[in-house]
Amino acid sequence: MSRFKKLSHTVWDCKYHVVWCPKYRFRVIEGQARSYVRDVLSELCRRHKVEILEGNVQPDHIHMVLSIPPSYSVSKVMGFLKGKSAIQIFRKFKRLRKKYYGQHYWSSGYCVSTVGLDEKTILNY
């Protein structure tokens, strides 16, 4: 099986390592919130046909290796992942509304790196 995926006029293999954290790097992704965040992100990726190759939810940040179709930009994917997940997290965990002002759960930025020849190193990370 080829590592490349196909669309009607495109053959592609676009993998990205992304890392982002909650605002102020608070350690709030613990216990029940950890599994909920994982499930929400999985569902959002499934809906938008973004494949999660690896994922790791830590108390104060998230690592994911994503296979993103070339029809989406990384910033668009991160925008809907962070935006939609924040809404769902605030609905489920009302106590977090006191900690975060104005429904801003995630910090404004993220780190992204393309995955190339050192994919195995990143996946082991």
Side-chain angles (χ1 to χ4, degrees), residues 23-44:
K23 199 161 183 128
Y24 314 118
R25 195 112 188 199
F26 287 152
R27 299 175 66 84
V28 293
I29 314 173
E30 297 177 313
Q32 188 181 14
R34 182 177 183 183
S35 61
Y36 186 75
V37 168
R38 185 188 66 229
D39 294 344
V40 166
L41 292 174
S42 296
E43 176 60 23
L44 289 170

mmCIF file of all heavy atoms in Angstrom, residues 23-44:
data_model
loop_
_atom_site.group_PDB
_atom_site.id
_atom_site.type_symbol
_atom_site.label_atom_id
_atom_site.label_comp_id
_atom_site.label_asym_id
_atom_site.label_seq_id
_atom_site.Cartn_x
_atom_site.Cartn_y
_atom_site.Cartn_z
ATOM 1 N N LYS A 23 -4.958 28.443 27.468
ATOM 2 C CA LYS A 23 -4.523 29.799 27.794
ATOM 3 C C LYS A 23 -3.837 29.816 29.163
ATOM 4 O O LYS A 23 -4.274 29.126 30.082
ATOM 5 C CB LYS A 23 -5.735 30.718 27.801
ATOM 6 C CG LYS A 23 -5.366 32.149 27.662
ATOM 7 C CD LYS A 23 -6.572 32.943 27.207
ATOM 8 C CE LYS A 23 -6.135 34.353 27.014
ATOM 9 N NZ LYS A 23 -6.487 34.883 25.746
ATOM 10 N N TYR A 24 -2.786 30.561 29.269
ATOM 11 C CA TYR A 24 -1.960 30.701 30.471
ATOM 12 C C TYR A 24 -1.272 29.391 30.873
ATOM 13 O O TYR A 24 -0.737 29.276 31.947
ATOM 14 C CB TYR A 24 -2.778 31.235 31.662
ATOM 15 C CG TYR A 24 -3.641 32.403 31.318
ATOM 16 C CD1 TYR A 24 -5.018 32.320 31.430
ATOM 17 C CD2 TYR A 24 -3.082 33.589 30.835
ATOM 18 C CE1 TYR A 24 -5.835 33.395 31.088
ATOM 19 C CE2 TYR A 24 -3.890 34.661 30.488
ATOM 20 C CZ TYR A 24 -5.258 34.555 30.624
ATOM 21 O OH TYR A 24 -6.053 35.609 30.277
ATOM 22 N N ARG A 25 -1.323 28.407 30.012
ATOM 23 C CA ARG A 25 -0.728 27.084 30.231
ATOM 24 C C ARG A 25 -1.206 26.450 31.546
ATOM 25 O O ARG A 25 -0.488 25.706 32.204
ATOM 26 C CB ARG A 25 0.797 27.170 30.183
ATOM 27 C CG ARG A 25 1.488 25.846 30.033
ATOM 28 C CD ARG A 25 2.158 25.713 28.718
ATOM 29 N NE ARG A 25 2.641 24.344 28.539
ATOM 30 C CZ ARG A 25 3.556 24.014 27.683
ATOM 31 N NH1 ARG A 25 4.103 24.916 26.906
ATOM 32 N NH2 ARG A 25 3.915 22.776 27.547
ATOM 33 N N PHE A 26 -2.445 26.741 31.914
ATOM 34 C CA PHE A 26 -3.030 26.116 33.104
ATOM 35 C C PHE A 26 -3.114 24.613 32.884
ATOM 36 O O PHE A 26 -3.394 24.140 31.782
ATOM 37 C CB PHE A 26 -4.443 26.655 33.373
ATOM 38 C CG PHE A 26 -4.497 28.057 33.901
ATOM 39 C CD1 PHE A 26 -5.602 28.836 33.645
ATOM 40 C CD2 PHE A 26 -3.470 28.592 34.661
ATOM 41 C CE1 PHE A 26 -5.686 30.129 34.135
ATOM 42 C CE2 PHE A 26 -3.539 29.884 35.148
ATOM 43 C CZ PHE A 26 -4.655 30.659 34.881
ATOM 44 N N ARG A 27 -2.924 23.854 33.937
ATOM 45 C CA ARG A 27 -2.981 22.391 33.873
ATOM 46 C C ARG A 27 -4.440 21.946 34.104
ATOM 47 O O ARG A 27 -4.769 21.437 35.175
ATOM 48 C CB ARG A 27 -2.039 21.789 34.896
ATOM 49 C CG ARG A 27 -0.580 22.178 34.662
ATOM 50 C CD ARG A 27 0.332 21.677 35.740
ATOM 51 N NE ARG A 27 0.425 20.225 35.763
ATOM 52 C CZ ARG A 27 1.232 19.501 35.002
ATOM 53 N NH1 ARG A 27 2.028 20.097 34.143
ATOM 54 N NH2 ARG A 27 1.242 18.186 35.090
ATOM 55 N N VAL A 28 -5.283 22.151 33.104
ATOM 56 C CA VAL A 28 -6.717 21.894 33.254
ATOM 57 C C VAL A 28 -7.202 20.684 32.461
ATOM 58 O O VAL A 28 -8.366 20.320 32.551
ATOM 59 C CB VAL A 28 -7.557 23.133 32.855
ATOM 60 C CG1 VAL A 28 -7.342 24.266 33.824
ATOM 61 C CG2 VAL A 28 -7.234 23.557 31.438
ATOM 62 N N ILE A 29 -6.324 20.048 31.701
ATOM 63 C CA ILE A 29 -6.752 18.895 30.898
ATOM 64 C C ILE A 29 -6.398 17.629 31.679
ATOM 65 O O ILE A 29 -5.514 16.871 31.312
ATOM 66 C CB ILE A 29 -6.084 18.894 29.510
ATOM 67 C CG1 ILE A 29 -6.148 20.262 28.862
ATOM 68 C CG2 ILE A 29 -6.768 17.870 28.596
ATOM 69 C CD1 ILE A 29 -5.373 20.371 27.570
ATOM 70 N N GLU A 30 -7.100 17.433 32.772
ATOM 71 C CA GLU A 30 -6.837 16.286 33.641
ATOM 72 C C GLU A 30 -8.134 15.557 33.942
ATOM 73 O O GLU A 30 -9.215 16.123 33.862
ATOM 74 C CB GLU A 30 -6.184 16.746 34.953
ATOM 75 C CG GLU A 30 -4.826 17.390 34.753
ATOM 76 C CD GLU A 30 -4.230 17.904 36.042
ATOM 77 O OE1 GLU A 30 -4.949 18.575 36.802
ATOM 78 O OE2 GLU A 30 -3.051 17.627 36.274
ATOM 79 N N GLY A 31 -8.025 14.295 34.317
ATOM 80 C CA GLY A 31 -9.184 13.503 34.720
ATOM 81 C C GLY A 31 -10.198 13.345 33.608
ATOM 82 O O GLY A 31 -9.868 12.983 32.476
ATOM 83 N N GLN A 32 -11.437 13.665 33.933
ATOM 84 C CA GLN A 32 -12.535 13.525 32.980
ATOM 85 C C GLN A 32 -12.354 14.457 31.783
ATOM 86 O O GLN A 32 -12.713 14.119 30.658
ATOM 87 C CB GLN A 32 -13.857 13.813 33.683
ATOM 88 C CG GLN A 32 -15.075 13.525 32.849
ATOM 89 C CD GLN A 32 -16.353 13.847 33.590
ATOM 90 O OE1 GLN A 32 -16.338 14.516 34.624
ATOM 91 N NE2 GLN A 32 -17.467 13.386 33.062
ATOM 92 N N ALA A 33 -11.770 15.626 32.018
ATOM 93 C CA ALA A 33 -11.557 16.590 30.930
ATOM 94 C C ALA A 33 -10.602 16.030 29.889
ATOM 95 O O ALA A 33 -10.749 16.297 28.699
ATOM 96 C CB ALA A 33 -11.023 17.905 31.492
ATOM 97 N N ARG A 34 -9.625 15.245 30.316
ATOM 98 C CA ARG A 34 -8.640 14.688 29.379
ATOM 99 C C ARG A 34 -9.320 13.789 28.344
ATOM 100 O O ARG A 34 -9.107 13.931 27.138
ATOM 101 C CB ARG A 34 -7.571 13.921 30.145
ATOM 102 C CG ARG A 34 -6.505 13.377 29.254
ATOM 103 C CD ARG A 34 -5.438 12.688 30.043
ATOM 104 N NE ARG A 34 -4.407 12.243 29.118
ATOM 105 C CZ ARG A 34 -3.362 11.554 29.452
ATOM 106 N NH1 ARG A 34 -3.180 11.216 30.701
ATOM 107 N NH2 ARG A 34 -2.492 11.192 28.549
ATOM 108 N N SER A 35 -10.139 12.855 28.802
ATOM 109 C CA SER A 35 -10.800 11.948 27.851
ATOM 110 C C SER A 35 -11.830 12.701 27.014
ATOM 111 O O SER A 35 -12.019 12.403 25.838
ATOM 112 C CB SER A 35 -11.437 10.765 28.576
ATOM 113 O OG SER A 35 -12.414 11.207 29.482
ATOM 114 N N TYR A 36 -12.484 13.716 27.602
ATOM 115 C CA TYR A 36 -13.459 14.482 26.847
ATOM 116 C C TYR A 36 -12.793 15.272 25.725
ATOM 117 O O TYR A 36 -13.271 15.284 24.592
ATOM 118 C CB TYR A 36 -14.238 15.423 27.778
ATOM 119 C CG TYR A 36 -15.354 16.144 27.069
ATOM 120 C CD1 TYR A 36 -16.527 15.469 26.731
ATOM 121 C CD2 TYR A 36 -15.236 17.476 26.721
ATOM 122 C CE1 TYR A 36 -17.556 16.121 26.066
ATOM 123 C CE2 TYR A 36 -16.249 18.133 26.057
ATOM 124 C CZ TYR A 36 -17.408 17.450 25.733
ATOM 125 O OH TYR A 36 -18.412 18.084 25.069
ATOM 126 N N VAL A 37 -11.675 15.932 26.028
ATOM 127 C CA VAL A 37 -10.944 16.699 25.018
ATOM 128 C C VAL A 37 -10.482 15.777 23.897
ATOM 129 O O VAL A 37 -10.606 16.095 22.715
ATOM 130 C CB VAL A 37 -9.754 17.451 25.652
ATOM 131 C CG1 VAL A 37 -8.825 18.003 24.595
ATOM 132 C CG2 VAL A 37 -10.260 18.573 26.549
ATOM 133 N N ARG A 38 -9.963 14.611 24.258
ATOM 134 C CA ARG A 38 -9.513 13.642 23.252
ATOM 135 C C ARG A 38 -10.669 13.237 22.337
ATOM 136 O O ARG A 38 -10.529 13.209 21.113
ATOM 137 C CB ARG A 38 -8.916 12.412 23.946
ATOM 138 C CG ARG A 38 -8.316 11.403 22.978
ATOM 139 C CD ARG A 38 -7.923 10.119 23.667
ATOM 140 N NE ARG A 38 -9.132 9.457 24.146
ATOM 141 C CZ ARG A 38 -9.294 8.984 25.380
ATOM 142 N NH1 ARG A 38 -8.345 9.088 26.255
ATOM 143 N NH2 ARG A 38 -10.418 8.397 25.716
ATOM 144 N N ASP A 39 -11.815 12.938 22.923
ATOM 145 C CA ASP A 39 -12.981 12.519 22.135
ATOM 146 C C ASP A 39 -13.499 13.638 21.237
ATOM 147 O O ASP A 39 -13.860 13.404 20.085
ATOM 148 C CB ASP A 39 -14.099 12.028 23.059
ATOM 149 C CG ASP A 39 -13.732 10.761 23.804
ATOM 150 O OD1 ASP A 39 -12.759 10.077 23.402
ATOM 151 O OD2 ASP A 39 -14.401 10.464 24.819
ATOM 152 N N VAL A 40 -13.531 14.860 21.753
ATOM 153 C CA VAL A 40 -14.006 16.005 20.968
ATOM 154 C C VAL A 40 -13.088 16.241 19.772
ATOM 155 O O VAL A 40 -13.546 16.421 18.643
ATOM 156 C CB VAL A 40 -14.106 17.272 21.851
ATOM 157 C CG1 VAL A 40 -14.247 18.520 21.006
ATOM 158 C CG2 VAL A 40 -15.266 17.153 22.810
ATOM 159 N N LEU A 41 -11.775 16.235 20.011
ATOM 160 C CA LEU A 41 -10.831 16.456 18.915
ATOM 161 C C LEU A 41 -10.909 15.339 17.877
ATOM 162 O O LEU A 41 -10.844 15.600 16.674
ATOM 163 C CB LEU A 41 -9.412 16.593 19.462
ATOM 164 C CG LEU A 41 -9.153 17.847 20.298
ATOM 165 C CD1 LEU A 41 -7.763 17.794 20.910
ATOM 166 C CD2 LEU A 41 -9.348 19.102 19.479
ATOM 167 N N SER A 42 -11.083 14.111 18.329
ATOM 168 C CA SER A 42 -11.230 12.980 17.399
ATOM 169 C C SER A 42 -12.461 13.141 16.518
ATOM 170 O O SER A 42 -12.403 12.917 15.306
ATOM 171 C CB SER A 42 -11.324 11.663 18.164
ATOM 172 O OG SER A 42 -10.147 11.412 18.863
ATOM 173 N N GLU A 43 -13.562 13.535 17.126
ATOM 174 C CA GLU A 43 -14.807 13.713 16.376
ATOM 175 C C GLU A 43 -14.695 14.863 15.378
ATOM 176 O O GLU A 43 -15.141 14.750 14.233
ATOM 177 C CB GLU A 43 -15.974 13.946 17.341
ATOM 178 C CG GLU A 43 -17.294 14.247 16.673
ATOM 179 C CD GLU A 43 -17.797 13.147 15.751
ATOM 180 O OE1 GLU A 43 -17.400 11.984 15.912
ATOM 181 O OE2 GLU A 43 -18.597 13.455 14.846
ATOM 182 N N LEU A 44 -14.091 15.970 15.786
ATOM 183 C CA LEU A 44 -13.930 17.108 14.875
ATOM 184 C C LEU A 44 -13.047 16.729 13.683
ATOM 185 O O LEU A 44 -13.349 17.090 12.541
ATOM 186 C CB LEU A 44 -13.332 18.304 15.611
ATOM 187 C CG LEU A 44 -14.257 19.007 16.607
ATOM 188 C CD1 LEU A 44 -13.477 20.018 17.434
ATOM 189 C CD2 LEU A 44 -15.405 19.684 15.877
#
